[in-house]
Amino acid sequence: MSESIHGLVKGTELEPIMAALAQGEANGVMMYYALARLAKEQGLDDAAQVFIESANQEAVHAGFYATLVGKYPKDFWQFVAGVAKAEYSGKANVKALADKVRAAGLTTAADEMEIFAEQEWHHGVVIDELLKKYAPRTSEAPAQKKWVCSICGYEHTGDTPPEACPVCGQPASAFKLKSAIKISAVKLYDGGYMMKSFACGGGLPEGSIKEAKLRSSLQNYVIDTGKEIILVDTGVPAEFEPPAVTDKSVITFGDKIADYVDALKNLGYDPAQVSKILITHKHPDHTGELRSFPNAKIYISRIEADDMGLTGDNVVRVDFTDGAYKNFAKSQKIADGVWYIFAPGHTKGNSIVIVEAGDKFYMIHGDVTYSDEALLENKLSVVFEDLPAARDTLSKVRAFIKANPTVYLSTHTPLGYENLAAQRIMTLPDVEEAPAVEEQAEATKATGTVWVCSICGYEHIGDEPPEVCPRCKQPKSAFHKK
C-alpha cells in the first residue's frame, strides 16, 4: 500500500491553492465532456475521443488535489453511505425533472435524462454492495440531527450542516433539517374531475349543493421511517380500466401515470423493502395491489378484513387496543410516530393514519373526504356505510386539525400531493354542520351474487349488477363480483 497523501497540505499556505486547483480540474471534466458531446453531434468522433480522454485525466487530477486538501474523510465508509442515499434520491429527482423537460417538448433530452435516473439508482445499488462487503460494523451512534442537501440529497449528521455539500458543492444554506420520517405520494392517476354534489352532498337533500367540477386524481402514500418502509393503501389493480367518461360521470380518474408497483419504484422503493401495509378501508382503489407485497404484514381493521374475507399469516386484524390518540377514542401504534386510528363511517371499519414528523402531523385519511373542499365546508361525500359515524369522524378530524398543525393528505384530489410537497398546514374556518335528510332504512337483506362498484364500493345483491350505480352513477361495467 502506497503512503497516503490525504490532507498533507491541510492547514498550510498551499491548501487554498490546491483546493482551487481541485475545483478547476472538476470544472474541466464538465467542460471536456460537454465539448465531446458537441463534437459527436457534429460527426467529429476523433475530436470527441480526445476531449473524453482529457476529461478522464482532469478527473484524476481533481481527485488528487482534493485528497491533498483532505476534502473527503480518510475513513470514508460513513461518508459513502450518505452518497448512496443521495444516489437513490437522485433517481426520483432526475425523473421528476425529466417529466418537466418532456412537458416542455424536449423529448430527446427527457429520454436521456430518464436513462440517467436509472443510472443514479444503479450507483446506489453497487455502492450498497460495497458497504455490505467492506464497511466496518459499528454500534448504533447516539441520535443526532440529520441534514439533507436540497440539491443532491446528500445527508450529513451533526448539530449543524456542513459549510458546503461534499457531493455537489452547495453552501450550508442548501441543507434542510431532516425528520427521521419521510412521506411520499405514490401517484397513479391525475387530471380527472369529480362533481361537487358527489364530493360534498352526503346526507343532504338533492339539489342543495351548487354544482361545480372539482379536480380529482388518485394517489396513495408511503412512509419511510428510516428503519422500515410502510405503505398506506395500494391503489387499484394494475389491470384496472377506468369507466368511460360520460356527461353523467360524477368522478373520473384522468390520465394514468403508472401502475402502483411502478409508481412506488419511481420513488426509489422496491416491493421487497416494504415491511407493513396499513389499509384505510376495503374499497378496491385502496387495496388493489396487496398481492404485490407477499412479505409485508397487512394491517387492517378486523371489520374490513372480515368483509374482504382476507386470510393468510401476513394479515393482522387490528382491534385498536392502544387506547385513545388525541381526540380519537381507539388507536394502534404501528411504529414510532406512526398511528393507525379507528375512524368509521365511510365504511364501518374505516381507519386513518396519523404520522408525527418534526413539528407537524400528517393525516392520511383515505376517503373521510374525497375533496379538501368537503373538509373546509364540513360536508361528507355521498359514499358512506354509516352516516352518523361518518359525521362524527369528520367532526373529530376537523377538531384534530384545529388543535394540531396538520398536513392533510387526500387520496382523490391533487391537493393531497400538493399539500405534501408544500408542507402546507391545513387551516379550517368555523362552519356549522349542514342539516341532513333522514337516513334511509337499510334494505331488506337479499340473497344472490354480490356485485361491488369499483369506484365507490357500493354493493348490489342480485344475479346481475345494476345498470347504474345508485351512489356514484357509474355504469354497469364498473361493477365486479365480490
Side-chain angles (χ1 to χ4, degrees), residues 353-375:
V353 176
I354 294 179
V355 180
E356 303 169 355
D359 59 351
K360 299 182 181 71
F361 296 83
Y362 297 79
M363 180 179 287
I364 307 172
H365 63 84
D367 295 344
V368 169
T369 64
Y370 274 74
S371 69
D372 286 18
E373 289 85 352
L375 175 74

Side-chain angles (χ1 to χ4, degrees), residues 330-350:
K330 295 182 179 181
S331 71
Q332 196 82 32
K333 185 177 181 180
I334 300 300
D336 287 344
V338 181
W339 294 86
Y340 190 48
I341 293 164
F342 188 54
H346 178 64
T347 62
K348 292 181 179 179
N350 196 74

Side-chain angles (χ1 to χ4, degrees), residues 407-423:
V407 181
Y408 193 67
L409 302 182
S410 297
T411 298
H412 291 287
T413 171
L415 288 166
Y417 64 76
E418 290 172 3
N419 290 343
L420 180 60
Q423 295 291 293

Side-chain angles (χ1 to χ4, degrees), residues 108-369:
T108 301
D111 288 344
E112 193 156 354
M113 289 177 68
E114 287 184 347
I115 295 173
F116 296 166
E118 294 300 326
Q119 290 172 338
E120 299 282 2
W121 177 263
H122 177 68
H123 297 163
V125 171
V126 295
I127 291 173
D128 261 346
E129 291 301 317
L130 290 176
L131 288 165
K132 292 175 184 176
K133 186 175 182 180
Y134 294 114
R137 296 182 181 273
T138 58
S139 57
E140 189 171 341
Q144 289 182 282
K145 292 180 179 178
K146 290 186 180 294
W147 303 85
V148 182
C149 177
S150 58
I151 304 303
C152 72
Y154 173 75
E155 293 188 9
H156 170 83
T157 301
D159 291 334
T160 60
E163 292 183 3
C165 177
V167 175
C168 70
Q170 294 298 315
S173 58
F175 281 80
K176 296 180 179 179
L177 189 61
K178 179 187 179 183
S179 165
I181 295 179
K182 176 185 177 183
I183 303 173
S184 304
V186 186
K187 298 180 182 179
L188 308 174
Y189 287 83
D190 207 352
Y193 68 84
M194 69 180 90
M195 303 307 296
K196 191 171 183 181
S197 58
F198 169 82
C200 301
L204 299 180
E206 187 173 351
S208 62
I209 298 294
K210 184 178 179 180
E211 195 62 283
K213 280 187 176 181
L214 308 177
R215 293 188 298 159
S216 79
S217 60
L218 179 62
Q219 63 274 335
N220 299 132
Y221 298 92
V222 54
I223 304 166
D224 183 343
T225 70
K227 296 180 180 179
E228 60 179 332
I229 309 304
I230 302 172
L231 307 182
V232 181
D233 294 338
T234 62
V236 291
E239 65 273 14
F240 171 75
E241 291 291 337
V245 178
T246 71
D247 58 0
K248 294 183 179 180
S249 297
V250 295
I251 183 169
T252 68
F253 283 73
D255 298 323
K256 186 173 184 177
I257 298 172
D259 294 332
Y260 186 92
V261 171
D262 290 336
L264 188 64
K265 287 181 177 179
N266 288 340
L267 294 171
Y269 298 108
D270 190 88
Q273 294 176 275
V274 176
S275 59
K276 296 170 184 172
I277 302 173
L278 310 181
I279 297 300
T280 62
H281 62 287
K282 62 191 175 184
H283 291 164
D285 53 336
H286 296 258
T287 59
E289 283 299 324
L290 288 176
R291 61 192 176 183
S292 295
F293 304 93
N295 298 323
K297 293 286 187 182
I298 299 170
Y299 289 75
I300 182 169
S301 74
R302 183 174 297 277
I303 296 170
E304 301 294 275
D306 290 346
D307 279 355
M308 293 180 68
L310 291 182
T311 59
D313 293 339
N314 65 327
V315 176
V316 179
R317 282 169 159 77
V318 178
D319 293 313
F320 305 96
T321 57
D322 286 342
Y325 177 83
K326 302 288 186 178
N327 62 317
F328 294 96
K330 295 182 179 181
S331 71
Q332 196 82 32
K333 185 177 181 180
I334 300 300
D336 287 344
V338 181
W339 294 86
Y340 190 48
I341 293 164
F342 188 54
H346 178 64
T347 62
K348 292 181 179 179
N350 196 74
S351 310
I352 63 176
V353 176
I354 294 179
V355 180
E356 303 169 355
D359 59 351
K360 299 182 181 71
F361 296 83
Y362 297 79
M363 180 179 287
I364 307 172
H365 63 84
D367 295 344
V368 169
T369 64

